[in-house]
Amino acid sequence: WSSDVCSSDLTGTLDPQVSGVLPVCLGKATKLVGQLTDTDKEYKCIMLIGQSTDTQDAQGKVINSMSEEKIHDVLCGKNRFEASYNDHQTAFFALKDALSGFMGDIMQIPPMYSALKVGGMKLVNAARKGIEVERKPRKVTIYSIDDIFLSDDIRYAGFTVSCSKGTYIRTLCHDLGEKLGIPCCMYSLERTKAAGLGIESAITLAQAQEFSRNGTLDKYIIPTDSFLKEYPEIVIDRRLACRVIFGNQFRLKDLKEGSFVSEPPDGQVFRIYDENGLFYALYLYDSRISSFKCIKMFTELKEKV
């Protein structure tokens, strides 16, 4: 959660069967929605081995399946690894080896059951009408695949994926199955990180409602400027704050002496604070006119000190 007033917006979506982190921006922080949506994500996935569906998850219609005996034969083929490994070890190494092939930049074809729009129509709406839409492969990045495990019956696999925005874990499971030669689909998924926020700091909607009723929700709201630490800060005096609150430009020479050892680089963005620590806005420095221009205001006029 970010900011402290009633208007809100979501930084993306979660499929109905997916749980986990979904940052909600409140008030002026809704200006960060695009920025926070375009961030890397982390997921914990459980994959079902031996079944593929039209939605690429376990809730869809089964379109292909494989018997446990056949799964065992494919994953535990003795020609894959040394004979000293038992069947479960052999299957695990086959899974791990296949997953390693998805590291780095990969191409994914978005699933039909997704909110992505093609030609002005959401793919999921087309899919529900029985319409198959041609989708172009898109480049996504898999940064890491860790915590890999395989169930004793070789029917379920799990792993943690760190990836770029736009990555479909359902599609990763489907494509992994194709690489293994076994139909696979996503069984369950939890988003454990988004916009730099981890699952350990998240609260449920039910908890948010309860905290709101008892007046303790504020302690779970993260200040907007916490997501903007990549930009250096400038502290302005009260006189200049009266101009900044209206989004007016100010010049380099308007700042206190010693604010900068040398002139800032052209195009550098700064966080603007007053002497009381109140965050106002993001300003960009324009070297042509030696002035700072407002690009996003985050403080209400009524908050001016």
Side-chain angles (χ1 to χ4, degrees):
W1 300 79
S2 178
S3 192
D4 56 358
V5 291
C6 58
S7 58
S8 64
D9 205 349
L10 303 176
T11 58
T13 59
L14 283 175
D15 290 342
Q17 71 277 18
V18 179
S19 62
V21 178
L22 180 60
V24 180
C25 292
L26 308 176
K28 288 288 185 178
T30 55
K31 295 183 179 183
L32 294 179
V33 167
Q35 179 177 330
L36 298 183
T37 302
D38 294 343
T39 57
D40 298 335
K41 310 290 192 299
E42 182 185 87
Y43 297 91
K44 283 188 176 180
C45 174
I46 304 294
M47 182 179 73
L48 175 60
I49 301 174
Q51 179 175 295
S52 62
T53 70
D54 58 350
T55 59
Q56 299 182 345
D57 59 39
Q59 283 69 44
K61 178 182 177 182
V62 177
I63 56 177
N64 197 6
S65 62
M66 182 178 285
S67 68
E68 289 189 23
E69 183 180 359
K70 183 63 175 176
I71 294 170
H72 186 277
D73 289 344
V74 174
L75 280 180
C76 303
K78 296 302 182 183
N79 61 324
R80 285 177 178 260
F81 298 98
E82 297 177 18
S84 59
Y85 294 130
N86 63 37
D87 284 351
H88 188 273
Q89 286 178 312
T90 301
F92 174 79
F93 287 131
L95 171 68
K96 189 174 181 180
D97 181 59
L99 278 168
S100 67
F102 290 91
M103 292 289 294
D105 293 338
I106 63 172
M107 301 301 291
Q108 278 194 337
I109 298 177
M112 278 299 302
Y113 283 85
S114 66
L116 185 68
K117 286 186 177 181
V118 175
M121 176 184 285
K122 285 187 178 180
L123 289 175
V124 64
N125 293 337
R128 287 169 179 164
K129 295 177 181 178
I131 302 172
E132 181 77 17
V133 178
E134 182 180 358
R135 292 99 67 205
K136 294 181 179 179
R138 303 192 307 172
K139 185 173 77 171
V140 297
T141 304
I142 306 295
Y143 301 113
S144 64
I145 303 177
D146 301 306
D147 307 323
I148 303 170
F149 76 85
L150 183 65
S151 65
D152 290 340
D153 62 1
I154 318 182
R155 289 303 308 274
Y156 296 91
F159 42 85
T160 299
V161 181
S162 177
C163 56
S164 65
K165 67 167 187 172
T167 304
Y168 288 96
I169 306 302
R170 286 180 289 147
T171 302
L172 176 63
C173 291
H174 174 271
D175 294 347
L176 175 60
E178 290 199 334
K179 186 168 186 177
L180 290 168
I182 301 171
C184 293
C185 67
M186 186 183 79
Y187 182 75
S188 67
L189 188 68
E190 179 183 49
R191 184 189 286 170
T192 51
K193 187 176 293 185
L197 301 174
I199 191 73
E200 66 281 352
S201 63
I203 60 175
T204 66
L205 288 175
Q207 287 175 320
Q209 291 172 333
E210 176 61 27
F211 297 151
S212 179
R213 282 193 294 268
N214 62 32
T216 60
L217 183 60
D218 282 355
K219 68 189 219 178
Y220 297 95
I221 296 176
I222 302 169
T224 305
D225 57 325
S226 298
F227 299 95
L228 301 168
K229 298 298 186 183
E230 62 191 284
Y231 307 119
E233 69 175 61
I234 294 176
V235 178
I236 57 177
D237 59 26
R238 186 181 181 88
R239 171 189 56 84
L240 200 53
C242 291
R243 292 169 55 187
V244 167
I245 193 65
F246 293 103
N248 293 326
Q249 294 183 23
F250 61 90
R251 295 166 296 177
L252 182 60
K253 66 180 183 180
D254 291 330
L255 296 172
K256 288 183 178 180
E257 186 177 349
S259 295
F260 289 98
V261 176
S262 59
E263 183 180 10
D266 182 59
Q268 175 65 59
V269 176
F270 293 89
R271 290 174 287 134
I272 308 299
Y273 296 83
D274 67 12
E275 293 171 324
N276 295 317
L278 178 64
F279 174 55
Y280 280 70
L282 290 179
Y283 267 68
L284 179 146
Y285 183 67
D286 187 339
S287 62
R288 297 173 303 167
I289 55 177
S290 299
S291 294
F292 297 86
K293 301 177 180 179
C294 181
I295 55 176
K296 280 187 180 179
M297 178 62 66
F298 292 95
T299 299
E300 301 282 358
L301 183 59
K302 64 182 179 182
E303 295 177 282
K304 182 171 73 68
V305 178

